[in-house]
Amino acid sequence: MSANNAFHIAVLAGDGIGPEVIAPALEVLRKVEQKSGLSFRFTEAPAGANNYLATGKSMPDSTIKLCEEADAILLGACGLPSVRYPDNTEIAPQIELRFIFDLYAGVRPARLIPGVPSPIVGADTRGIDLVVVRESTEGLFASMGKGVVTHEDARETMVITRRTSERLFEFSFRLAERRKARGKPGALTCVDKANVFKAFAFFRGIFDEIEKKHPNVKTDRLYVDACSAMLVKRPWDFDVMVMENMFGDIVSDITASLIGGLGMAPSADIGDKYAVFQPCHGTAPDIMGQGKANPTGMILSAAMMLDWLADKHGVESAAEAGETIERAVDQVYAGGIKPMEFGGSNGTADITKAVLAAL
């Protein structure tokens, strides 16, 4: 574990373009290390569909042990559409890690970087800077691998517990408070379907209880359908949103599409002790090995990791290093870098080189 400013990072490159985006993130962290006084030790470990093909397991026990001992976990992307468990579900260590380490808070920032196109009219002048907090261990995903399928029907069960919901809402309120301290609105919206399902009425009721402990945070409550409609009209009206697992899975993809796509979107899955940082995109086997992958989401996920390490260990220089990475990414895109997913000509190497130069 960490000693002063030294951090041990478990690196799970995964499948497809996972290794192609992990490598630039590690280069960026090494560059930051030179100037920040921080020290990183990276230990790589297998996980994903290729490991399943070779061994019959998504991750060896040694990978899980490494993740348990490390200060943080960086993950590229895992799974391949062509590789499946016997029940036809994909190999997904990123989801398994959430359950193993109780990573209940899925943090999905969506910030429109200068120079990046958005499909939302007015976003270039109004800006987009919001965070989706997705509960990551319960909801409909609690049924993963446990669903019942017969010839006549199929059933999955949604689970929402008080313990996890209380921790999720405390995390979300604290995040809103931290953002307010940094000049953001500091508002929190609970997104649910409380008008139809008892489970979501229960969820909202717990939100109402936790709200009383955080009087300085402005709150709102929205049904998920109304929230989705508002997001694609006026995303700048949102700051922090908290929601159930499946709703968060969908809404976070919507918000990523507002800021240039999944290649631009970082994420984290955070618990009381452990955290995994990874881009929102998948393994994209259709562009694997072609140098087309956009490493920005992975690089920004590494910046999120630094901010989390700073908060967890009280190392302010780590937070400053994370902000330095974000500023470098902003500078690169404002300067005209255009990934292939935007119809540009800049691939993995170009983007990595530009960010390193900006640092």
Side-chain angles (χ1 to χ4, degrees):
M1 298 299 283
S2 68
N4 299 322
N5 294 352
F7 298 107
H8 180 203
I9 310 301
V11 179
L12 282 55
D15 306 303
I17 64 169
E20 298 175 38
V21 297
I22 273 281
L26 299 186
E27 284 189 72
V28 165
L29 288 170
R30 286 297 188 205
K31 185 71 175 283
V32 163
E33 184 181 42
Q34 298 169 11
K35 299 183 177 183
S36 65
L38 301 173
S39 174
F40 301 111
R41 177 163 63 95
F42 300 117
T43 304
E44 298 191 19
N50 286 314
N51 193 74
Y52 177 78
L53 285 175
T55 68
K57 295 181 69 175
S58 66
M59 291 178 287
D61 292 340
S62 58
T63 293
I64 297 171
K65 189 174 190 304
L66 168 67
C67 292
E68 184 177 4
E69 294 172 349
D71 292 298
I73 304 155
L74 276 181
L75 190 150
C78 288
L80 294 171
S82 59
V83 182
R84 304 268 175 162
Y85 286 119
D87 65 0
N88 205 38
T89 58
E90 285 193 30
I91 315 304
Q94 66 274 27
I95 298 178
E96 294 167 29
L97 287 169
R98 296 170 193 166
F99 292 100
I100 293 169
F101 294 115
D102 194 20
L103 309 178
Y104 56 85
V107 183
R108 309 289 187 265
R111 183 175 66 91
L112 184 62
I113 293 171
V116 175
S118 172
I120 306 302
V121 175
D124 55 341
T125 56
R126 299 294 297 269
I128 300 172
D129 188 348
L130 57 85
V131 182
V132 172
V133 182
R134 164 193 177 185
E135 195 290 312
S136 291
T137 61
E138 297 183 345
L140 195 55
F141 278 74
S143 190
M144 191 179 74
K146 303 173 186 175
V148 177
V149 180
T150 69
H151 180 70
E152 300 299 331
D153 62 22
R155 297 173 186 267
E156 305 276 6
T157 302
M158 181 171 67
V159 176
I160 292 176
T161 69
R162 171 170 289 279
R163 177 176 180 269
T164 295
S165 297
E166 287 177 344
R167 290 187 298 162
L168 177 74
F169 293 140
E170 284 287 359
F171 179 94
S172 301
F173 274 103
R174 290 196 306 269
L175 175 60
E177 288 166 346
R178 290 200 305 275
R179 283 173 63 84
K180 188 173 184 178
R182 295 177 178 182
K184 307 294 173 60
L188 179 61
T189 303
C190 180
V191 180
D192 55 46
K193 198 65 178 170
N195 58 330
V196 175
F197 296 102
K198 291 181 180 179
F200 284 118
F202 176 72
F203 187 74
R204 182 180 288 200
I206 298 171
F207 179 85
D208 293 343
E209 293 173 16
I210 302 300
E211 177 192 27
K212 296 173 185 176
K213 302 179 184 179
H214 302 270
N216 295 325
V217 176
K218 181 182 178 182
T219 61
D220 198 3
R221 295 134 182 87
L222 283 175
Y223 301 136
V224 66
D225 46 347
C227 174
S228 300
M230 292 171 67
L231 274 171
V232 297
K233 287 185 174 181
R234 298 179 58 85
W236 43 81
D237 286 347
F238 291 92
D239 187 25
V240 182
M241 297 179 286
V242 60
M243 62 200 72
E244 176 270 341
N245 206 335
M246 179 58 82
F247 287 169
D249 189 26
I250 298 166
V251 170
S252 61
D253 272 18
I254 293 175
T255 58
S257 72
L258 307 182
I259 60 162
L262 292 173
M264 300 298 299
S267 80
D269 289 299
I270 299 174
D272 292 334
K273 185 177 180 181
Y274 303 97
V276 175
F277 300 86
Q278 66 180 97
C280 285
H281 63 69
T283 55
D286 56 321
I287 60 169
M288 179 178 59
Q290 300 174 40
K292 295 179 178 179
N294 181 356
T296 305
M298 185 75 249
I299 291 170
L300 291 174
S301 296
M304 287 183 69
M305 178 188 75
L306 293 176
D307 189 65
W308 179 78
L309 287 169
D311 185 57
K312 185 172 177 60
H313 297 285
V315 181
E316 186 57 34
S317 58
E320 293 168 358
E323 291 173 359
T324 298
I325 292 172
E326 289 186 357
R327 287 194 299 268
V329 170
D330 286 5
Q331 180 181 329
V332 162
Y333 278 91
I337 276 282
K338 194 173 184 181
M340 294 180 182
E341 65 203 276
F342 302 164
S345 59
N346 298 120
T348 314
D350 289 343
I351 297 168
T352 304
K353 183 179 178 181
V355 173
L356 290 171
L359 286 167

